[in-house]
Amino acid sequence: MSAHERLDGTVVAVTGAARGVGLATARRLAAAGAAVALGDLDADAVKAAAESIAARTGAMTVGIPLDVTNRPWFAAFLDDAEKALGPLDVLVNNAGVMWAGPFAEEPDAVAERQFGVNVFGVLHGMKLVLPRMRERGCGHVITIASAAGRIAPPGQACYAATKHAVYGYCAAVREELCGTGVHLSVVLPGVVDTSFAAGPATGAASRRLTPEQVAEAVLGVALRPRFEVWVPGRNGIVVRLAALLPQRAQDALYRALVPNQLRTDPLAGLAYESSVFCDSEFGDADEIR
């Protein structure tokens, strides 16, 4: 890796970082020279993850328990991260949860939990960290959204709604930050091969991504900020081209390419959904994509 491809001296915080994409992202950014604060609801797992990354890369890391739905807790997480590592340069909003199935069968508590983690978790982080960055005249918030933030797979109505909300929120806030030196980015991956996607299909034209592929995209946008990053990039081309088609042709294209989650095995994601949504405290609510 050349000097231009490194993040030496950069302080990063990653939410939902005990496993999956969050863990892969924390590892990749640490390997590029960043000091990384990992946050996750699973306190033991996130501390172990931070120690493992430090041992592997030699980077400064800290693992801090975090519930992104709790704004005071999120504020304390940011304060603790900055006390341990220094002023935060990059926040990676990664924590998220998903439920798949017919819209009318989704329990209200599950829908509310998805909005709590996927939307308000992002809003809390941005509202807390962006004023600090704007005051310094620099900084970058990278939000791991989803391809579902621009399309709407059947069987993921609420999840898609949360990701559409995140995309729109980031687009609007980005305009407010114009000229401040602070950047906003959204990363839009397809289906990633983690426990988060144990049930969902991938669609006729795509394969499951690895967490490392998404982490590489995060590193790329951290080095060269831009607003919208598709993983893989061809998905963005398809979406832009589809927008030019008549509705009937657009519908046919999406039905051919976008996975219909109502056709998947309802038992395939049962372990994930049970751990996240069925516990009285919703289990590891920051389980990630």
Side-chain angles (χ1 to χ4, degrees), residues 196-208:
F196 191 84
T202 59
S206 61
R207 298 177 180 176
R208 291 197 179 199

Side-chain angles (χ1 to χ4, degrees), residues 125-177:
M126 291 174 64
K127 287 181 176 181
L128 289 166
V129 81
L130 286 173
R132 307 181 188 201
M133 293 178 173
R134 185 158 52 183
E135 185 176 346
R136 296 198 305 267
C138 62
H140 193 175
V141 174
I142 302 170
T143 297
I144 311 296
S146 169
R150 296 292 304 278
I151 58 177
Q156 290 183 343
C158 189
Y159 177 74
T162 66
K163 296 305 182 178
H164 275 67
V166 163
Y167 183 92
Y169 190 86
C170 290
V173 173
R174 177 174 175 260
E175 289 301 312
E176 293 189 38
L177 294 173

Side-chain angles (χ1 to χ4, degrees), residues 50 62 74 80 83 87 90 99 102 107 118 129 152 155 162 179 185 228 235 242 252 274 279:
V62 59
F74 209 140
D80 289 346
K83 286 177 185 176
V90 180
W99 185 91
N118 299 358
V129 81
T162 66
S185 300
E228 185 175 303
N235 286 358
S274 296
D279 185 88

